[in-house]
């Protein structure tokens, strides 16, 4: 039997993905995807107010990766979908960390420096630390430990799909097909990612925004982080 040509193989996989897309949008799941797509609008709002900051280049890459992650989810390319969420988490937290280190940020942007996840979540000098909070939003320092724990747990789970670990949190199918459990798991991980990113951005930038910039993110932060008293108070909400 003659081996299949590369084009035939790729077109066959494309047909499988198209079939998964149809199933992905069935049974009310289109609305679930629309809810997760709202996060992209949040991220675009943040980029609009951080437009002049060099680290916004990382945030814009992360936005593109998020929509590609959703595309992979819809097509049944689940490993790539979860890998995309991990990259979004890394890029946002990396950008926030580098924003406090102009020299390191400049080196990173010209590919002269690497940033490691261990540095991002370091308990003394990372993003979710009392030291970082005190520098930019002191009132929030009591919450950083909890968010560091969530970020580390999410990263560890998503890394199963990057490093080929024995699955524990995320069970992937062995071929391209729709899997409702995996779809729901991706939605759950995206929902966990969302407040982590918002918290990191709010902690770093909220006290440095102009009145117009502050107004642009005020409503979305009340919606996403309004359960945190000090953030709600900073936004002018009821205590």
């Amino acid at each position: 039997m003659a081996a299949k040509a590369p084009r035939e193989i790729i077109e066959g996989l494309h047909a499988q993905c198209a079939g998964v897309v149809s199933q992905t949008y069935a049974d009310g799941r289109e609305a679930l995807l629309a809810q997760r797509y709202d996060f992209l609008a949040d991220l675009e709002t943040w980029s609009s107010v951080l437009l002049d900051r060099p680290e916004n280049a990382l945030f814009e890459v992360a936005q593109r990766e998020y929509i590609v992650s959703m595309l992979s989810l819809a097509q049944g390319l689940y490993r790539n979908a979860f890998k995309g969420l991990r990259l979004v988490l890394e890029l946002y937290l990396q950008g926030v960390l580098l924003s406090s280190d102009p020299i390191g940020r400049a080196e990173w942007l010209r590919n002269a420096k690497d940033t490691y996840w261990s540095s991002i979540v370091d308990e003394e000098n990372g993003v979710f630390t009392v030291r970082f909070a005190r520098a930019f939003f002191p009132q929030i320092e009591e919450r950083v430990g909890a968010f560091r724990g969530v970020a580390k747990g999410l990263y560890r789970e998503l890394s199963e799909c990057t490093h080929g670990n024995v699955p524990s949190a995320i069970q992937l199918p062995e071929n391209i097909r729709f899997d409702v459990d995996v779809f729901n798991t991706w939605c759950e991980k995206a929902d966990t990612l969302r407040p982590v990113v918002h918290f990191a951005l709010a902690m770093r930038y909220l006290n440095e925004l102009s009145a117009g910039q502050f107004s642009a993110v005020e409503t979305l932060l009340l919606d996403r982080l309004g359960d945190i008293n000090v953030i709600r108070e900073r936004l002018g909400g009821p205590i």
Side-chain angles (χ1 to χ4, degrees), residues 53-55 58 94-95 97-115:
R53 296 182 182 260
E55 65 271 14
L58 281 77
Q94 181 181 37
L97 182 62
L98 289 174
S99 74
S100 66
D101 176 15
I103 294 176
R105 179 181 60 197
E107 291 173 337
W108 193 92
L109 290 171
R110 67 168 189 270
N111 292 320
K113 176 184 175 69
D114 294 325
T115 303

Side-chain angles (χ1 to χ4, degrees), residues 205-222:
Y205 297 111
L206 195 56
N207 287 332
E208 296 184 3
L209 300 181
S210 68
Q213 293 170 330
F214 188 93
S215 178
V217 300
E218 183 176 5
T219 299
L220 74 86
L221 284 179
L222 279 172

Side-chain angles (χ1 to χ4, degrees), residues 16-67:
Q16 286 181 266
C17 289
V20 175
V21 169
S22 298
Q23 293 177 280
T24 297
Y25 284 118
D27 300 325
R29 284 183 290 271
E30 184 171 358
L32 296 177
L33 279 179
Q35 292 169 11
R36 278 72 195 180
Y37 185 80
D38 284 346
F39 183 38
L40 186 61
D42 294 351
L43 300 179
E44 289 172 346
T45 298
W46 273 111
S47 277
S48 72
V49 303
L50 302 175
L51 191 61
D52 295 331
R53 296 182 182 260
E55 65 271 14
N56 192 49
L58 281 77
F59 302 155
E60 291 182 339
V61 172
Q63 291 163 39
R64 294 193 291 271
E65 291 299 329
Y66 184 74
I67 193 62

Side-chain angles (χ1 to χ4, degrees), residues 8 15 53 58 72 77-78 81 84-85 87 94 127-128 132 139 143 164 179 181 198:
E8 185 180 359
R53 296 182 182 260
L58 281 77
S72 297
L77 302 175
Y78 295 126
L85 286 184
L87 184 54
Q94 181 181 37
V127 172
F128 298 112
F132 199 93
Q139 300 90 334
R143 301 301 296 264
D179 189 306
D181 291 332
H198 280 311

